[in-house]
């Protein structure tokens, strides 16, 4: 040791697709929202997996493109387009869950004698990310969370990590 307090380490985790399985939940939500529009429009023969992949490629987190995507796949009723978008947003956390070992890992890290602080850094809108953290029961598992939507800086910009160091009062 170099004379530093051994319990001075900060460990940071990401939220989406590190602690929770956001990608699987997103695909599930898209399958339901887009699949229902296809079924109700008698277009159920469209390859739903291809449609979901195309939606993610077009915009991984939004639904503004649903009308054009559905129109191109035979769903011409604007009410079906809007219904798909409404369902997708109303159920924004449908299927979202922690990875099976996420809590055990967080708790094991926290129990390490050399770890002084455990934090969370996540990109995204503040309200959405805070709601996810609450839903997943993570507030009691971390000392703090930094959300890019609040800070105005996204990973991998060094500023978001500097903010974490300052929040944890960690040595630089």
């Amino acid at each position: 040791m170099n004379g530093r307090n051994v319990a001075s380490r900060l460990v940071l985790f990401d939220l989406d697709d590190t602690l929770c399985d956001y990608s699987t939940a997103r695909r599930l939500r898209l399958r339901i929202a887009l699949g229902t529009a296809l079924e109700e429009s008698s277009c159920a023969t469209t390859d739903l997996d291809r449609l979901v992949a195309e939606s993610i490629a077009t915009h991984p987190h939004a639904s503004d493109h649903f009308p054009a995507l559905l129109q191109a796949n035979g769903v011409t009723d604007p009410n079906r387009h809007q219904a798909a978008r409404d369902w997708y947003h109303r159920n924004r956390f449908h299927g979202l869950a922690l990875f099976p070992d996420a809590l055990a890992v967080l708790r094991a890290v926290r129990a390490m004698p050399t770890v002084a602080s455990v934090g969370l850094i996540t990109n995204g809108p503040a309200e959405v990310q805070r709601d996810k953290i609450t839903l997943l029961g993570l507030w009691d598992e971390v000392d703090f969370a930094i959300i890019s939507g609040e800070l105005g800086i996204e990973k991998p910009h060094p500023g978001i990590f500097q903010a974490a160091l300052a929040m944890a009062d960690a040595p630089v």
Side-chain angles (χ1 to χ4, degrees):
M1 297 289 167
N2 60 8
R4 268 192 188 177
N5 179 354
V6 293
S8 64
R9 293 203 176 112
L10 166 63
V11 178
L12 298 171
F13 288 90
D14 177 45
L15 179 61
D16 294 319
D17 293 323
T18 300
L19 294 175
C20 71
D21 192 356
Y22 175 78
S23 292
T24 298
R26 176 183 55 199
R27 281 191 303 275
L28 174 63
R29 286 192 337 269
L30 286 167
R31 286 186 65 79
I32 293 170
L34 298 172
T36 300
L38 291 171
E39 287 172 9
E40 292 177 356
S41 297
S42 302
C43 298
T45 58
T46 298
D47 181 352
L48 187 54
D49 289 330
R50 179 193 54 77
L51 195 61
V52 166
E54 189 175 333
S55 177
I56 292 168
T58 302
H59 195 295
H61 308 294
S63 66
D64 295 348
H65 63 282
F66 281 16
L69 184 64
L70 289 166
Q71 182 79 30
N73 284 276
V75 180
T76 58
D77 182 353
N79 293 324
R80 298 281 170 239
H81 304 165
Q82 190 59 47
R85 292 185 70 204
D86 290 346
W87 190 95
Y88 187 76
H89 289 284
R90 223 178 19 257
N91 297 282
R92 73 172 3 138
F93 301 126
H94 182 80
L96 187 66
L98 291 173
F99 283 111
D101 293 337
L103 285 179
V105 168
L106 282 168
R107 291 171 182 163
V109 168
R110 178 173 294 292
M112 292 176 174
T114 57
V115 174
S117 189
V118 176
L120 188 65
I121 297 181
T122 183
N123 286 342
E127 179 183 328
V128 172
Q129 296 305 84
R130 285 196 172 279
D131 287 349
K132 281 185 203 174
I133 295 166
T134 299
L135 173 76
L136 297 168
L138 293 174
W139 288 115
D140 291 336
E141 306 298 333
V142 297
D143 297 307
F144 63 89
I146 295 181
I147 301 170
S148 67
E150 291 174 338
L151 193 59
I153 303 170
E154 288 191 347
K155 294 180 292 176
H157 190 282
I160 200 165
F161 297 100
Q162 291 165 344
L165 290 169
M167 188 166 278
D169 196 26
V172 180

